[in-house]
Amino acid sequence: MTFDEVDEMISSHKEEFLEQLFTFIRQKSISTENEGMTECADLLKAYMEESGIETKIMQTEGHPIVYGEMVRDKHSFTLLIYGHYDVQPADPLDQWVSPPFDPTIRDGRVYGRGTGDNKGQLMAQLLGIKIYKEVFGDLPINLKFVFEGEEEKGSVNLPRFVSDNQELLKADLVYTADGSSHYSGSPLILLGARGMLSIEITVKGAEWDNHSGNTGNIVPNPAWKLIDLLHSMKDENGDVLIEGFYDYIRSPSEKEMELLRQLPFDQKKIGSKIGYSGLTMDGESYYRKLTMEPTFNISGMESGYTGGGVKTIIPATASAKMDIRLVADQDPSYVYDRISDYIKEYDPDMEVEFLGSMKPSRTSADMKIVDVVTNVVHQAYNTKPLIQPSLSGSLPDYVWTSILQTPSIIMPYANFDQRNHSPNENIKLDSFFGGIKCTCTLIERLGEYDKSFEK
Ligand SMILES: [Zn+2]
């Protein structure tokens, strides 16, 4: 068996593969507007069945999940592939150079809604499997597929689905091709995501806004009270002073720190990208703070009068919204309880409200399977991938690592400038065909991998 055959196979089938992607993109599937969802799920099911994948459409309380299996035997390695067939709405339509649901090739890219996020990447995986079968014959591993239709509306029913179907979904590794490769053009492997906790703190004073002269020094000012509270929660170094806030945080391993040090860092470039020229830290601190440490962020505050001119009042209320990014293995409800306890003890009249949360995830960079995937990507793209132990933002990756208790690796196939969620979304032809090759190589290598290595 040879990988030249894979390359040949891809180049001789380019037209056919693109046509399949085009048909998939032409089928609208806008989850937030409930447009074309069942039609798209049916189309996806048909593609999967064509590749010999046993497929069923599984209902949720929202849009259905397309589930597929290709099982050879219980003892072989099982790879679970996750992706989503829903897309973002296409507006503003007048900013598209070509119509969003009529895929068009320009300058080495396919333009259309969903090309990058996520239909192009999803299709590359299905085609990678198809090619493997045609070049090498039977698959050396078991495959399972979870393609959801609600990623663009927050994956609201995915945690429940995974939790209800743990036996069905049992796997050795979850593999996701979503997101973008690194801005330098290098492939990027992600081993987790930060979690999130959103809260609102409300402080009340008098029953209504009062005249600041007639009641000044008499009625307490909730804005000052809120500021005093917030000030007491953090010291001048930025460390959170709430007892238990840092409990259960997993320290980065030697290897994870080594990976952080290898990530490209250009202080000036990053500064201009984020509109902040005051950045003064080294790359290691930058990535450690972004991936291995929680945040304690005030995202908005509201109190009193902020319009033009002057209004002399003592406000009746003051409130602050906070979003707190969490890292492995912090638990949002535990952290919420610690904050709530702190505030109750500080002043029992202050209120705190839970607004939402997502658990963090992290797959250990020390696992052998991470090396296997890294080598696959290196070989498929002829470029050494960058490995980031965690995404700085949040993704529902915890459904795999925490609910299913399975390692999870995210390997984006789309180019950095895919413009997902924006007009003129695209995927480079090289990225699409590269994804096909990467999937095919992954299956081959996982077939040789002995999963008892991890034990
Ligand atoms: Zn998206």
Side-chain angles (χ1 to χ4, degrees), residues 84 88 117 151-152 178 420-421:
H84 63 95
Q88 286 274 320
D117 183 13
E151 199 273 346
E152 302 295 4
D178 197 6
N420 45 336
H421 299 207

Side-chain angles (χ1 to χ4, degrees), residues 182-183 256-268 270 279-293 387-389:
H182 195 260
Y183 67 83
E256 284 164 339
M257 287 309 294
E258 185 55 43
L259 292 171
L260 293 183
R261 282 191 283 270
Q262 286 173 11
L263 293 169
F265 178 74
D266 181 330
Q267 195 165 290
K268 259 204 179 136
I270 292 174
L279 196 65
T280 50
M281 57 179 79
D282 57 29
E284 182 185 324
S285 315
Y286 175 80
Y287 286 109
R288 196 190 62 239
K289 284 172 186 292
L290 273 181
T291 61
M292 297 289 165
E293 293 178 9
I387 305 171
Q388 198 170 307

Side-chain angles (χ1 to χ4, degrees), residues 143-258:
L143 282 175
K144 294 181 179 180
F145 303 84
V146 172
F147 295 137
E148 71 157 321
E150 295 187 309
E151 199 273 346
E152 302 295 4
K153 48 188 288 195
S155 299
V156 274
N157 290 294
L158 186 66
R160 177 79 188 274
F161 175 82
V162 174
S163 162
D164 286 351
N165 292 286
Q166 292 183 48
E167 200 45 47
L168 180 74
L169 304 179
K170 216 166 173 266
D172 296 299
L173 175 70
V174 176
Y175 182 76
T176 303
D178 197 6
S180 319
S181 51
H182 195 260
Y183 67 83
S184 62
S186 294
L188 176 68
I189 291 173
L190 294 162
L191 300 177
R194 283 203 288 195
M196 168 91 126
L197 167 65
S198 303
I199 62 169
E200 180 163 10
I201 301 167
T202 306
V203 183
K204 291 190 174 120
E207 282 180 45
W208 50 77
D209 292 353
N210 264 281
H211 189 292
S212 67
N214 295 347
T215 61
N217 293 341
I218 308 298
V219 166
N221 187 319
W224 275 121
K225 282 190 165 187
L226 178 64
I227 289 166
D228 290 343
L229 167 76
L230 294 170
H231 189 66
S232 76
M233 291 168 135
K234 225 177 174 204
D235 68 15
E236 61 275 19
N237 302 319
D239 289 326
V240 178
L241 301 173
I242 296 166
E243 207 186 314
F245 181 80
Y246 294 105
D247 285 357
Y248 306 115
I249 290 182
R250 199 195 305 175
S251 329
S253 69
E254 246 331 289
K255 174 133 185 222
E256 284 164 339
M257 287 309 294
E258 185 55 43

Side-chain angles (χ1 to χ4, degrees), residues 26 31 76 81 117-118 120 159 209 224 243-244 285 297 339 365 402:
R26 280 185 201 113
S31 50
S76 301
I81 290 177
D117 183 13
N118 178 242
D209 292 353
W224 275 121
E243 207 186 314
S285 315
N297 181 51
I339 296 172
S402 177

